[in-house]
């Protein structure tokens, strides 16, 4: 390596722009998030997951007739082939739910005649299929992993409402359906985070949409990514009672243990999604039982963390911090948190892939070689 | 966006270094390739796939006793759970073989008690399992997709030899086994190409090894990546006879049609792997039947392309150009080319993941937002 200057290393690709996109704007300084130009606050307040999926895929809010047609298409695609139900049944009792989701989505390609058709029309159709069926798969994993019977989707229900129905076998309250729908809107898209980037890296070889989103699912599984909300909830449960919060947090900070759900690669201020969920937690803190307890602990921990680290170090609550208590309230078990995130992010993954394929380019960065050079092979007898 | 300067865009991340690595050196200017410091020429001449897998995973050539122990471990891991054989049987008759491989590898995690154990020891064990079982899965896909009975692995045979045995139900000739082994050595590793990079992006969220290599498989499926050799063979077959070669190539160049198997993101000279396979083609061009024909067409096309584009534009044959005729000679059908590539690259994917996890860092680049900002939500009734 003598005489060779080392190139600049961009570890984690932090700060590197790899593409243009008109899907999502994350303003990490001001703490703002826009899907296709619409603020997450307005979408959370007025829209729902089906409409947001349309918006992400098409770039525009649908007209009334477009929305009716889109909902009809989405709802018609909820059914799962029997073989896929069989795979979920077989795998979900023994495997990580994200492995089951990955297996089921990969296997699903076999039942789509257009799986390997690469036209924009076919890719839009496949996006609708994937968004719709991902909801059914996740609901089925939740149900079948505890040995219960598969529940067929009900096309009269909204997307989130149907997922709760398929999970529990009974129609959810309108409040639970609305809350899950809101959570799915908040998780639907977030520019080129690790799983979306992985989806694009896969699709950029002109691999198909099933393979691309499979890559996204595999990436979302990581505890640094999709797994964070599950671990944040575990922390709230470990704290046990609101009055323990201060001692727990201070001990964690003193021992430099990571407090889950705080800090973000992009947001250097309050995550706007966390701000929306925080309002729900204020309501939940007035309820009873475990949810009340968790909400109160979360709100106390948030206040303490902001005092200790927020303004001084730019470490603020992120979306993962508050989601756990809401999911507990809706009746979603922690093992399903990341699959829920995947089902919610499916429109984002698909929208990015549709966009990237318009001007696709292979993604192939470099590694800087630090190993030995020019070693001579030594025959086995002389080793 | 007024007043904001556009950041530098690194489309395709070309020329960007995202990590250090001591696994593979690709010298694109001199046309040299080293695994762990050993030149691909020496490894192709003296080593085999099992030893090269050890070298990639451990960084050193094994001693005799280490090699014996490694071969024993690899061979003991070849068996597939019955449920996985069932999935391959069910899917391979209807789905793209890469989708089947993806499904099977994802499902395999359910049968590994250490699937989600992240220790270096567990990850090394899982690497051996994955390298070994990937060979069995690919062989089983080749066999079961034509409706034949599954053939159990034979632990007395070498890795490539056993794959041919599981595919055909009869022991291969030593020549066929040696050629497939050589092809697998040549494909075992190639620094951070798209599939390896995708594997690392997935693993960098601290997702598990099954999920990480699943991402690699999904990415390798793309025709710009793993699918290139299949398309290069199709071109040779389209040319039909050696004497048609010149007309075909010149027409393709005139009409700016891409000639498959030429040009490479990193090599700006002769791909050293192509150089090794070219020697085999010289032998095959003296055989008879289709293989002789394909080898002769390939050698003519290579000569023409180098004359037309090699020195002037830096477009040289890459590894994908010559592999097809060799696979045809061994009896591997085109639909299995990419799965074969995946089974060969498994040690490279695993080695990169083991290395990256030593100093892991989330990979999260940015997109430059070019869409609208601050649109106001319009209620459905007013759209």
């Amino acid at each position: 390596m003598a005489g060779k200057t080392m190139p600049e290393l961009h570890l984690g690709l932090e700060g590197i722009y790899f593409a243009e996109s008109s899907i999502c704007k994350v303003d990490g300084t001001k703490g703002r998030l826009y899907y296709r130009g619409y603020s997450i606050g307005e979408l959370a307040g007025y829209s729902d997951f089906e409409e947001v999926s349309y918006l992400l895929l098409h770039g525009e809010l649908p007209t009334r007739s477009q929305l009716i047609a889109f909902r009809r298409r989405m709802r018609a695609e909820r059914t799962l082939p029997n073989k896929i139900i069989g795979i979920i049944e077989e795998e979900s009792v023994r495997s990580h739910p994200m492995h089951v989701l990955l297996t089921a989505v990969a296997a699903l390609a076999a039942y789509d005649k257009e799986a390997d058709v690469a036209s924009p029309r076919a890719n839009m159709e496949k996006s609708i299929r994937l968004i719709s069926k991902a909801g059914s798969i996740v609901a089925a994993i939740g149900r079948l992993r505890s040995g219960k019977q598969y529940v067929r989707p009900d096309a009269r229900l909204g997307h989130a409402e149907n997922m709760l129905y398929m999970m529990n076998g009974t129609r959810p309250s309108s409040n639970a359906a609305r809350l899950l729908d809101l959570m799915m809107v908040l998780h639907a898209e977030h520019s080129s985070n690790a799983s979306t980037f992985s989806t694009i890296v896969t699709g950029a070889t002109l691999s198909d949409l099933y393979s691309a989103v499979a890559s996204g699912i595999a990436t979302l599984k990581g505890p640094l990514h999709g797994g964070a909300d599950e671990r944040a909830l575990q922390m709230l449960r470990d704290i046990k009672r609101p009055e323990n919060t201060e001692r727990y947090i201070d001990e964690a900070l003193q021992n430099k243990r990571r407090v889950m759900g705080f800090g973000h690669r992009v947001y250097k201020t309050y995550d706007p999604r966390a701000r929306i969920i925080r309002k729900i937690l204020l309501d939940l803190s007035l309820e009873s039982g475990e949810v009340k307890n968790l909400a109160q602990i979360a709100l106390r921990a948030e206040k303490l963390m902001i005092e200790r680290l927020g303004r001084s170090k730019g470490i603020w609550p992120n979306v993962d911090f508050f989601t756990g208590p809401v999911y507990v309230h809706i009746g979603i078990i922690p093992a399903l948190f990341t699959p829920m995130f995947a089902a919610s992010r499916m429109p984002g993954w698909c929208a990015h892939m549709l966009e990237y394929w318009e001007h696709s380019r292979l993604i192939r960065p470099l590694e800087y070689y630090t190993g030995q050079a020019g070693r001579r092979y030594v025959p086995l007898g002389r080793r």
Side-chain angles (χ1 to χ4, degrees), chain A:
Chain A
M1 296 287 162
K4 202 174 159 192
T5 52
M6 186 170 162
E8 194 178 355
L9 278 182
H10 298 280
L11 299 177
L13 294 175
E14 194 159 349
I16 294 289
Y17 288 83
F18 78 100
E20 295 184 343
S21 176
S22 65
I23 296 172
C24 180
K25 183 172 165 64
V26 182
D27 185 332
T29 315
K30 293 191 187 145
R32 302 228 173 108
L33 170 63
Y34 304 87
Y35 296 171
R36 298 287 193 182
Y38 295 100
S39 83
I40 191 66
E42 295 213 332
L43 294 173
Y46 306 126
S47 192
D48 68 12
F49 183 71
E50 287 168 307
E51 185 177 77
V52 163
S53 295
Y54 184 100
L55 172 67
L56 288 168
L57 293 176
H58 291 276
E60 301 292 335
L61 288 170
T63 63
R64 183 184 294 273
S65 64
Q66 286 168 336
L67 185 60
I68 290 170
F70 186 76
R71 285 197 208 279
R72 193 179 296 132
R73 284 281 298 113
M74 283 270 288
R75 291 170 189 206
E77 288 291 352
R78 280 180 190 160
T79 52
L80 298 177
N82 285 334
K83 294 284 179 188
I84 301 295
I85 301 169
I87 286 175
I88 297 170
E89 196 164 25
E90 177 65 35
E91 301 274 313
S92 60
V93 295
R94 61 167 84 223
S95 203
H96 189 293
M98 286 299 281
H99 281 144
V100 186
L101 177 61
L102 178 61
T103 307
V105 166
L108 207 51
Y111 302 89
D112 187 336
K113 284 186 186 127
E114 299 190 303
D116 281 301
V117 179
S119 70
R121 184 205 53 76
N123 283 324
M124 181 61 79
E125 287 296 307
K126 281 184 274 186
S127 299
I128 295 170
R129 272 171 222 142
L130 276 161
I131 298 167
S132 178
K133 288 194 201 305
S136 301
I137 293 171
V138 169
I141 293 171
R143 186 155 183 91
L144 301 182
R145 74 195 299 274
S146 53
K148 296 196 188 105
Q149 278 275 311
Y150 177 71
V151 172
R152 303 204 168 275
D154 184 338
R156 293 165 304 177
L157 308 181
H159 186 83
E161 191 179 15
N162 175 65
M163 285 178 69
L164 289 171
Y165 168 69
M166 289 178 71
M167 227 179 283
N168 302 320
T170 51
R171 254 184 101 150
S173 70
S174 64
N175 180 51
R178 188 186 58 78
L179 277 179
L180 180 58
D181 189 88
L182 171 64
M183 298 300 280
M184 295 188 77
V185 167
L186 295 179
H187 285 84
E189 164 57 22
H190 210 247
S191 75
S192 57
N193 62 354
S195 61
T196 303
F197 179 58
S198 182
T199 298
I200 296 173
V201 169
T202 296
T205 66
L206 304 187
S207 194
D208 67 289
L209 194 60
Y210 286 90
S211 299
V213 304
S215 178
I217 292 167
T219 305
L220 190 71
K221 176 174 180 287
L224 292 189
H225 191 359
D229 50 5
E230 192 177 338
R231 292 169 72 187
L233 176 68
Q234 190 53 53
M235 188 185 79
L236 300 180
R237 284 186 161 153
D238 289 345
I239 295 176
K240 281 200 178 86
R241 300 153 64 88
E243 55 269 33
N244 300 340
T245 311
E246 184 155 4
R247 199 179 60 218
Y248 184 98
I249 294 289
D250 284 335
E251 271 181 26
L253 293 179
Q254 259 167 29
N255 298 318
K256 307 210 165 167
R257 273 208 313 278
R258 185 157 183 193
V259 180
M260 299 311 296
F262 286 84
H264 193 275
R265 178 72 73 91
V266 180
Y267 292 116
K268 300 305 169 199
T269 180
Y270 216 108
D271 181 333
R273 301 165 298 175
R275 201 178 282 282
I276 293 165
I277 307 179
R278 185 181 182 278
K279 287 192 199 133
I280 301 166
L281 255 65
L282 287 173
D283 291 342
L284 296 185
S285 72
L286 307 173
E287 299 262 335
S288 61
E290 198 204 1
V291 168
K292 171 190 174 175
N293 209 26
L294 290 172
Q296 291 188 353
I297 294 170
L299 291 165
R300 279 211 197 193
E302 176 236 14
K303 188 164 173 287
L304 287 163
M305 283 291 286
I306 291 176
E307 283 171 18
R308 308 283 198 271
L309 295 179
R311 281 176 192 83
S312 62
K313 300 212 172 175
I315 296 175
W316 294 84
N318 63 45
V319 67
D320 302 317
F321 185 61
F322 289 132
T323 53
V326 180
Y327 282 148
V328 170
H329 177 62
I330 307 173
I332 294 168
I333 56 169
L336 276 195
F337 286 8
T338 315
M340 274 292 168
F341 189 167
S344 310
R345 184 57 54 88
M346 196 57 83
W349 290 334
C350 291
H352 276 275
M353 216 53 259
L354 300 185
E355 178 187 62
Y356 194 83
W357 275 330
E358 288 173 23
H359 307 279
S360 197
R361 192 181 159 83
L362 189 74
I363 298 175
R364 203 268 188 234
L366 300 168
E367 292 169 327
Y368 183 68
Y369 183 68
T370 55
Q372 300 182 57
R375 297 163 92 180
R376 296 306 304 263
Y377 187 86
V378 181
L380 189 60
R382 289 202 274 118
R383 281 180 221 156

